[in-house]
Short mmCIF file of all heavy atoms in Angstrom, two decimals:
data_model
loop_
_atom_site.label_atom_id
_atom_site.label_comp_id
_atom_site.label_asym_id
_atom_site.label_seq_id
_atom_site.Cartn_x
_atom_site.Cartn_y
_atom_site.Cartn_z
N ILE A 13 33.42 -72.17 -82.26
CA ILE A 13 33.13 -71.80 -83.67
C ILE A 13 31.90 -70.87 -83.60
O ILE A 13 31.81 -69.86 -84.23
CB ILE A 13 32.89 -72.95 -84.53
CG1 ILE A 13 34.27 -73.65 -84.77
CG2 ILE A 13 32.22 -72.60 -85.86
CD1 ILE A 13 34.09 -74.96 -85.53
N LEU A 14 30.82 -71.29 -82.69
CA LEU A 14 29.61 -70.49 -82.62
C LEU A 14 29.98 -69.06 -82.09
O LEU A 14 29.38 -68.15 -82.61
CB LEU A 14 28.68 -71.22 -81.60
CG LEU A 14 27.81 -72.29 -82.27
CD1 LEU A 14 27.10 -73.01 -81.09
CD2 LEU A 14 26.77 -71.69 -83.15
N VAL A 15 30.81 -69.04 -81.01
CA VAL A 15 31.20 -67.76 -80.44
C VAL A 15 31.85 -66.91 -81.46
O VAL A 15 31.56 -65.75 -81.68
CB VAL A 15 32.12 -68.01 -79.26
CG1 VAL A 15 32.75 -66.64 -78.89
CG2 VAL A 15 31.34 -68.62 -78.06
N MET A 16 32.79 -67.58 -82.21
CA MET A 16 33.58 -66.78 -83.19
C MET A 16 32.68 -66.19 -84.25
O MET A 16 32.76 -65.01 -84.72
CB MET A 16 34.70 -67.61 -83.85
CG MET A 16 35.71 -68.11 -82.99
SD MET A 16 36.56 -66.71 -82.28
CE MET A 16 37.33 -66.09 -83.77
N SER A 17 31.77 -67.06 -84.85
CA SER A 17 30.95 -66.63 -85.91
C SER A 17 29.95 -65.46 -85.47
O SER A 17 29.76 -64.54 -86.24
CB SER A 17 30.11 -67.74 -86.59
OG SER A 17 29.52 -68.45 -85.53
N THR A 18 29.48 -65.59 -84.22
CA THR A 18 28.64 -64.50 -83.71
C THR A 18 29.40 -63.20 -83.71
O THR A 18 28.96 -62.13 -84.12
CB THR A 18 28.21 -64.76 -82.29
OG1 THR A 18 27.84 -66.19 -82.11
CG2 THR A 18 27.10 -63.94 -81.82
N MET A 19 30.77 -63.27 -83.23
CA MET A 19 31.55 -62.04 -83.20
C MET A 19 31.88 -61.50 -84.53
O MET A 19 31.80 -60.31 -84.68
CB MET A 19 32.85 -62.46 -82.48
CG MET A 19 32.74 -62.50 -81.04
SD MET A 19 34.23 -63.14 -80.33
CE MET A 19 35.39 -61.98 -81.06
N VAL A 20 32.17 -62.39 -85.47
CA VAL A 20 32.56 -61.89 -86.84
C VAL A 20 31.36 -61.14 -87.41
O VAL A 20 31.53 -60.01 -87.94
CB VAL A 20 33.03 -63.04 -87.69
CG1 VAL A 20 33.18 -62.64 -89.16
CG2 VAL A 20 34.35 -63.64 -87.16
N SER A 21 30.17 -61.72 -87.29
CA SER A 21 28.99 -61.14 -87.93
C SER A 21 28.77 -59.80 -87.13
O SER A 21 28.33 -58.90 -87.73
CB SER A 21 27.76 -62.02 -87.81
OG SER A 21 27.58 -62.38 -86.49
N GLY A 22 28.97 -59.84 -85.83
CA GLY A 22 28.77 -58.56 -85.05
C GLY A 22 29.66 -57.51 -85.49
O GLY A 22 29.25 -56.38 -85.72
N CYS A 23 30.97 -57.84 -85.74
CA CYS A 23 31.84 -56.90 -86.18
C CYS A 23 31.60 -56.31 -87.53
O CYS A 23 31.74 -55.12 -87.84
CB CYS A 23 33.27 -57.44 -86.23
SG CYS A 23 33.86 -57.65 -84.58
N SER A 24 31.18 -57.18 -88.51
CA SER A 24 30.87 -56.69 -89.81
C SER A 24 29.66 -55.74 -89.92
O SER A 24 29.64 -54.86 -90.69
CB SER A 24 30.62 -57.87 -90.83
OG SER A 24 29.55 -58.63 -90.36
N ASN A 25 28.73 -55.92 -88.95
CA ASN A 25 27.59 -55.02 -89.02
C ASN A 25 27.98 -53.68 -88.43
O ASN A 25 27.39 -52.68 -88.90
CB ASN A 25 26.48 -55.64 -88.07
CG ASN A 25 25.75 -56.80 -88.74
OD1 ASN A 25 25.86 -56.93 -89.95
ND2 ASN A 25 25.13 -57.64 -87.92
N SER A 26 28.88 -53.69 -87.49
CA SER A 26 29.21 -52.41 -86.84
C SER A 26 29.84 -51.35 -87.71
O SER A 26 29.80 -50.20 -87.44
CB SER A 26 30.10 -52.61 -85.63
OG SER A 26 31.34 -53.08 -86.13
N THR A 27 30.41 -51.74 -88.87
CA THR A 27 31.13 -50.77 -89.69
C THR A 27 30.10 -49.86 -90.56
O THR A 27 30.61 -48.86 -91.14
CB THR A 27 32.09 -51.43 -90.63
OG1 THR A 27 31.29 -52.46 -91.40
CG2 THR A 27 33.27 -52.11 -89.95
N ASP A 28 28.89 -50.31 -90.58
CA ASP A 28 28.01 -49.43 -91.40
C ASP A 28 27.35 -48.23 -90.71
O ASP A 28 26.60 -47.58 -91.32
CB ASP A 28 26.77 -50.42 -91.91
CG ASP A 28 27.32 -51.49 -92.78
OD1 ASP A 28 28.32 -51.28 -93.49
OD2 ASP A 28 26.71 -52.54 -92.87
N SER A 29 27.69 -48.09 -89.45
CA SER A 29 27.06 -47.06 -88.71
C SER A 29 27.70 -45.69 -89.01
O SER A 29 28.68 -45.61 -89.57
CB SER A 29 27.20 -47.29 -87.23
OG SER A 29 28.57 -47.35 -86.94
N GLY A 30 27.02 -44.67 -88.61
CA GLY A 30 27.54 -43.26 -88.66
C GLY A 30 27.30 -42.60 -89.93
O GLY A 30 27.91 -41.51 -90.21
N ASN A 31 26.38 -43.09 -90.74
CA ASN A 31 26.20 -42.35 -92.03
C ASN A 31 24.78 -41.63 -92.11
O ASN A 31 24.37 -41.24 -93.19
CB ASN A 31 26.24 -43.42 -93.24
CG ASN A 31 27.64 -43.86 -93.37
OD1 ASN A 31 28.57 -43.11 -93.18
ND2 ASN A 31 27.87 -45.14 -93.78
N THR A 32 24.05 -41.47 -90.98
CA THR A 32 22.76 -40.93 -90.94
C THR A 32 22.92 -39.43 -91.29
O THR A 32 23.74 -38.74 -90.65
CB THR A 32 21.96 -41.21 -89.73
OG1 THR A 32 22.89 -40.79 -88.66
CG2 THR A 32 21.57 -42.58 -89.57
N SER A 33 22.00 -38.91 -92.04
CA SER A 33 21.93 -37.46 -92.32
C SER A 33 21.32 -36.76 -91.09
O SER A 33 20.41 -37.33 -90.49
CB SER A 33 21.12 -37.22 -93.57
OG SER A 33 20.81 -35.83 -93.55
N GLU A 34 21.90 -35.61 -90.77
CA GLU A 34 21.46 -34.91 -89.61
C GLU A 34 20.74 -33.53 -89.98
O GLU A 34 20.38 -32.86 -89.15
CB GLU A 34 22.63 -34.65 -88.66
CG GLU A 34 23.14 -35.84 -88.02
CD GLU A 34 24.21 -35.45 -86.97
OE1 GLU A 34 23.79 -35.12 -85.75
OE2 GLU A 34 25.33 -35.38 -87.33
N SER A 35 20.76 -33.27 -91.28
CA SER A 35 20.33 -31.90 -91.66
C SER A 35 18.98 -31.62 -91.11
O SER A 35 18.62 -30.45 -91.02
CB SER A 35 20.42 -31.82 -93.15
OG SER A 35 19.69 -32.87 -93.73
N ASP A 36 18.15 -32.70 -91.00
CA ASP A 36 16.79 -32.42 -90.54
C ASP A 36 16.54 -32.36 -88.99
O ASP A 36 15.47 -32.11 -88.53
CB ASP A 36 15.80 -33.47 -91.16
CG ASP A 36 16.14 -34.86 -90.89
OD1 ASP A 36 17.40 -35.09 -90.48
OD2 ASP A 36 15.39 -35.76 -91.02
N LYS A 37 17.64 -32.67 -88.35
CA LYS A 37 17.52 -32.66 -86.85
C LYS A 37 17.91 -31.26 -86.25
O LYS A 37 18.74 -30.60 -86.83
CB LYS A 37 18.51 -33.69 -86.26
CG LYS A 37 18.08 -35.14 -86.63
CD LYS A 37 19.04 -35.96 -85.94
CE LYS A 37 18.85 -37.51 -86.39
NZ LYS A 37 20.01 -38.30 -86.04
N SER A 38 17.34 -30.97 -85.22
CA SER A 38 17.74 -29.75 -84.50
C SER A 38 19.14 -29.95 -83.85
O SER A 38 19.44 -30.94 -83.33
CB SER A 38 16.76 -29.40 -83.36
OG SER A 38 17.22 -28.43 -82.50
N LEU A 39 19.94 -28.87 -83.95
CA LEU A 39 21.34 -29.02 -83.50
C LEU A 39 21.37 -28.65 -81.94
O LEU A 39 22.36 -28.86 -81.29
CB LEU A 39 22.23 -28.04 -84.24
CG LEU A 39 22.22 -28.33 -85.75
CD1 LEU A 39 23.14 -27.35 -86.48
CD2 LEU A 39 22.67 -29.72 -86.10
#
Side-chain angles (χ1 to χ4, degrees):
Chain A
I13 290 171
L14 275 171
V15 168
M16 295 297 296
S17 46
T18 317
M19 282 171 52
V20 171
S21 59
C23 287
S24 58
N25 287 340
S26 66
T27 54
D28 293 333
S29 60
N31 290 326
T32 51
S33 166
E34 288 189 87
S35 54
D36 53 344
K37 290 180 191 168
S38 165
L39 304 179

